[in-house]
Structures are given as structure tokens and as C-alpha cells.
Amino acid sequence: MCLAVPARVIERKNGMALVELQGVKRRASLRMVPEARVGDWILLHAGYAIEVLDEAAARETLEFLSQAFGEGNEKGVQEQ
Amino acid sequence: MRSGETDTVSGSANPLTPFRDSARVAALRDSIAELAARLLRPVRLMEVCGTHTMSAARTGLHSLLPESVRLTSGPGCPVCVTAPGYVVASCDLARRPEVIITTFGDMLRVPGGGRTLEEESAKGADVRVVYSPLDALETAENHPEKCVVFLGVGFETTAPTVAASILEARERNLRNYSVFAAHKTMPEAMRALLEAEDLAIDGFLCPGHVSVITGSDLYRFIVEEYAVPCAVTGFEPVEILLGVEALLRCLVEGRAEVVNVYRRAVRASGNIHAKKILEAVFEPCDSEWRGIGVIPRSGLAIREEFSDYDAARRFGVEIPSIPVPKACICGEVLRGAMEPTECRLFGEACTPTRPIGPCMVSSEGACAAAYKYGPA
Ligand code: SF4
């Protein structure tokens, strides 16, 4: 039930947004993330955007991974 | 990653892709194996959240862990921990002719006192599955002659959305909307598990989306008072493994820390707006967890100020005390004390098509996961 999925804000108006996830458009309330802008990735849960995803933090995690465990993506393996 | 695809998290690319990369998974698996070997003892880590249980089962994560590292499920499936008395009271509400019940789909088949909402619906009750409490508000707007009741179930992730719907109802002057609230909060349940004598938990994989709201600081008391390390993780394979890796590293080095490997979504202090909404509408109360019992201050009750939107007050609902079916060991499964396959009803009398306990009903229940993907 705590499932939340990343979606992209493509329009915003009066505290509501139109978001897109995997090609599907949905309405989402921005009540909990008033700072969200068009183009941002948000986490969508039960019709509400509950957080704006932090791309810089995501990149840092990936960089940390590469440094700690070697270049993960050099081997050219397929995505899961 | 396929060549030619850039490994960034910006642009319109799916931000999850790099967190599913199988080379990263392999590197983490090796590091986990090495740390586990250095520990020289078996460890038990608990994934508190039902979404983690399902995600780990679906991606076959257990097969990537060395034998000495066990990942057990915890009490983080909201539907599974809902008390049978709440189901009975919801069914009674559904029978009232003036009531439309709106609920997340997972609640429909949860049994309580031998009844389910699905059966009430088949007998003519108006029970509607919604994706969001906002849809429930819309139902209320479209049916001014009816009383629309939303079944407020879920943890800190969901509770703010339900609180927001109550604020919204008040703003729109919608008087025929109310919530039958049974929200629960995680930290008190985790404390109860840590206090239990029969559970030796070496580390927690903390619920990622609860943490989005509450912040990773929520788990400080666990490292400070119990010296048990906590990792806040996301739900992609790389992220779950990163969490396991961080916990093992803490154990090897004899440290207890809250490690946040889900920083792309979780801040230390959480989402301030969501927390404000939550606190405006709800206050802590004691709450019954199915098969576990009452845990003090582990629930959320609607504040007096919003009593017009509280279905329990509005309809004078009493939640009866109903025992759970005897042979069902859901309570032990939810505490991480027993595995689903240790239940003698598992896969025989109890299957997803004819479930006896909620752990087999819910799509994120440990029994359903073990039935679908094989035991962990
Ligand atoms: S297998 Fe069925 S009866 Fe046994 S614990 Fe799981 S849900 Fe309960």
C-alpha cells in the first residue's frame, strides 16, 4: 500500500498537476510538494505527489556505487 | 545498461533504470558475500515494509544473499495488520442504506469475523474501490444524498493523503464525506519488535515511503536505545542491496547508525508539508495490530476539531473485539517470528483464491509473496 511511483510533472494549475507515468497521464495534488515545477520528477502516492525526487542525490548514490564497487555499467550487461 | 544509453537520472529517461542495472546488482552481491563471511555468524535483517517484501520476492533477491544473511518480513503491510474488528465494523457501515463505502482495493477481501467487504458488496452494499481519497471526495460530490465513508487504512505514507482529503472536504464544504480511520504508525511497532524477547533482529531495512514523509531521523531511537543499525532504502534491486550492504558493514564494524541510501527521495527531516497536514488532522492513539495486539500510541485518531469527518463518531461505530482464526499464524509472520511456510494451512487450506488470513490476501503480504514466488 505504501507503493509510490516516479512520475513527471507536465502541467500545473491551482495546486493540481498533470503528471505522466509510463506514458499514462494522471492528475495529482501538489498539496504536499508546493515547490514542484513542470519537468520535475515527483513520487506519486494515492493521487498525491509526496516528494520531489532529488536528481543530484540520485547521481551521488550512483557515483558512490561506481567508486566503491567499480564501474558497474562497463560490462555491457542487459537491464533487468 | 545497453550501450548508447546515457546513465543519468535527468532528462526524460526513467529515473529507476540505473537502480536496476544488473552489473551493479552483481557488484553489490559480491560485496555482501564478503562482508557476511567476515561476520562469522548468521544475521537476521528485517524488511519492515510490505512493498519491500514483494519487491524482494519478485526480483528473486533472496537468492543473491549468502545463506548466513536472512531477510524476514515485518509488520509493514497495512492491510495485514488491520484488526478483524475493524473489518466487521466496516461491513456493518457498508450495510447502512445511506452509506457508500470507498476504499483502496486491497481491503475488499480482508476477512474479519468471517466477513469481507467483497461479500457485503455482493449482497448489495455500495462498496467502491478508489485509487485516491480524492476520488472518494468526488464520489461525495456526485452523491449529495448519500454519506460517503472512506476507509482510512495505511501507514505514514498514506495517512497524510487521507488527512489532506479531510482538509479538502472542509474547504469545499462537503458535509457528506467522512473517514473511518485506522491508520497506524511504524516506530512504535518497531519498538515492540525490539522489546520482544524471541526476536533477535540484527538490522532494519526501514520502509522507504514511510520515510519520505517522516524523514530518516525517525529511526534514531533505534540506533541510540537499541544499538541496532537501520538502513532507509528504496525499492529497486540495487537500492535494497545497498541497504543490506550498509547494514552488514555496520555490523562488521560494530557501529549502529541510520544509513539513508534512498536520498533521492528521503530527507533526514522528511516532508514538512505532509507532516503538518498529518498533525493538523490526526493525533496519536493506541491501536490494535492483527495477531500482535494493542501497541500504545501506534495509531492515528481524527482530532476532535474534525469530528464531523470522523465516521466512527458520526455513526457511533464501536470496533468489536474479534479473535483471529486459530490456526492462522499471521501474527507470528507479521512479527517476523515465523515463516509463512511454517503455517500448516499454507498452500493447502489457505491460498490466494481462498485466503484465510490477510497475509495471503494482500498483494504485499508475506504469505502471498511466498505462495507466488516461493519461500524466501
Ligand atoms: S498461510 Fe494463510 S492461514 Fe497461514 S499465516 Fe498465512 S494467511 Fe494465515
Side-chain angles (χ1 to χ4, degrees):
Chain A
M1 191 179 281
C2 293
L3 193 68
V5 288
R8 201 143 211 246
V9 179
I10 48 178
E11 232 178 81
R12 58 166 298 168
K13 201 177 171 188
N14 302 333
M16 291 295 290
L18 194 64
V19 301
E20 186 180 326
L21 60 152
Q22 291 164 357
V24 183
K25 295 196 174 88
R26 274 180 194 253
R27 270 157 45 87
S29 167
L30 298 179
R31 194 166 192 135
M32 296 178 210
V33 287
E35 74 277 21
R37 297 177 180 202
V38 171
D40 281 349
W41 283 93
I42 53 101
L43 262 185
L44 182 66
H45 172 71
Y48 286 81
I50 59 168
E51 192 53 280
V52 178
L53 290 173
D54 183 341
E55 293 190 19
R59 222 173 294 122
E60 273 168 39
T61 304
L62 294 173
E63 268 162 30
F64 160 79
L65 263 167
S66 303
Q67 277 165 18
F69 308 111
E71 262 313 317
N73 56 346
E74 267 181 358
K75 295 166 200 158
V77 290
Q78 293 285 310
E79 288 164 37
Q80 291 190 325
Chain B
M1 295 230 100
R2 281 183 291 268
S3 56
E5 212 171 48
T6 46
D7 189 16
T8 63
V9 285
S10 57
S12 58
N14 185 336
L16 300 180
T17 308
F19 295 97
R20 293 175 177 168
D21 176 56
S22 57
R24 289 192 171 109
V25 165
L28 280 164
R29 179 199 56 203
D30 295 348
S31 172
I32 286 169
E34 195 193 310
L35 287 166
R38 277 164 64 188
L39 262 173
L40 304 172
R41 66 178 174 97
V43 290
R44 232 162 79 93
L45 309 177
M46 176 178 277
E47 90 268 7
V48 178
C49 169
T51 315
H52 274 143
T53 300
M54 226 27 182
S55 180
R58 195 184 50 233
T59 53
L61 215 74
H62 295 275
S63 66
L64 297 175
L65 300 179
E67 228 166 77
S68 64
V69 178
R70 286 239 346 257
L71 204 56
T72 38
S73 322
C77 156
V79 166
C80 302
V81 294
T82 297
Y86 177 83
V87 176
V88 169
S90 303
C91 288
D92 286 343
L93 268 176
R95 281 192 186 177
R96 298 173 80 113
E98 76 275 29
V99 165
I100 298 177
I101 295 283
T102 49
T103 175
F104 294 130
D106 340 24
M107 277 301 290
L108 278 191
R109 297 174 64 223
V110 176
R115 297 162 69 184
T116 66
L117 282 161
E118 193 175 49
E119 283 160 21
E120 297 298 335
S121 162
K123 286 184 206 148
D126 197 342
V127 180
R128 303 184 188 188
V129 170
V130 292
Y131 155 76
S132 161
L134 290 171
D135 302 336
L137 287 181
E138 211 172 295
T139 309
E141 242 156 16
N142 295 338
H143 296 276
E145 76 290 357
K146 293 275 197 174
C147 296
V148 171
V149 176
F150 183 76
L151 300 183
V153 174
F155 298 124
E156 290 94 327
T157 323
T158 311
T161 69
V162 178
S165 78
I166 289 178
L167 295 178
E168 202 109 13
R170 191 165 71 170
E171 287 157 16
R172 296 196 215 165
N173 204 15
L174 260 183
R175 295 178 180 278
N176 63 332
Y177 177 72
S178 61
V179 172
F180 185 30
H183 291 290
K184 292 180 165 51
T185 50
M186 280 321 323
E188 297 75 12
M190 291 167 83
R191 185 188 290 280
L193 297 181
L194 287 162
E195 294 284 345
E197 275 165 17
D198 57 337
L199 302 174
I201 300 166
D202 294 299
F204 282 112
L205 287 178
C206 299
H209 292 145
V210 161
S211 311
V212 167
I213 306 295
T214 63
S216 55
D217 281 349
L218 181 74
Y219 312 106
R220 291 216 153 276
F221 77 95
I222 296 179
V223 303
E224 282 161 12
E225 295 175 39
Y226 299 93
V228 169
C230 293
V232 178
T233 81
F235 298 87
E236 298 306 319
V238 166
E239 291 174 314
I240 302 181
L241 289 174
L242 258 176
V244 171
E245 212 262 352
L247 291 177
L248 292 182
R249 200 166 283 280
C250 281
L251 292 170
V252 164
E253 293 169 9
R255 286 179 291 123
E257 267 177 33
V258 178
V259 187
N260 181 3
V261 295
Y262 197 25
R263 282 186 40 241
R264 65 190 178 91
V266 174
R267 304 162 203 257
S269 53
N271 180 331
I272 296 163
H273 302 289
K275 285 207 269 195
K276 271 197 188 140
I277 292 168
L278 188 73
E279 277 157 29
V281 175
F282 291 115
E283 60 191 355
C285 66
D286 297 351
S287 181
E288 184 189 343
W289 296 57
R290 183 189 292 244
I292 298 178
V294 174
I295 303 178
R297 294 179 69 80
S298 68
L300 294 171
I302 297 173
R303 288 183 189 274
E304 182 80 44
E305 189 195 335
F306 294 95
S307 54
D308 287 354
Y309 302 96
D310 183 346
R313 287 200 182 100
R314 202 156 156 167
F315 298 98
V317 182
E318 293 283 335
I319 297 186
S321 166
I322 306 269
V324 291
K326 258 212 188 103
C328 170
I329 59 158
C330 268
E332 292 308 291
V333 171
L334 289 163
R335 292 191 327 120
M338 286 172 103
E339 294 298 323
T341 43
E342 289 178 71
C343 175
R344 56 192 174 80
L345 305 182
F346 179 84
E348 305 281 336
C350 183
T351 62
T353 33
R354 289 185 42 223
I356 288 173
C359 299
M360 189 62 93
V361 176
S362 170
S363 59
E364 48 191 44
C367 297
Y371 188 87
K372 194 163 173 198
Y373 300 107

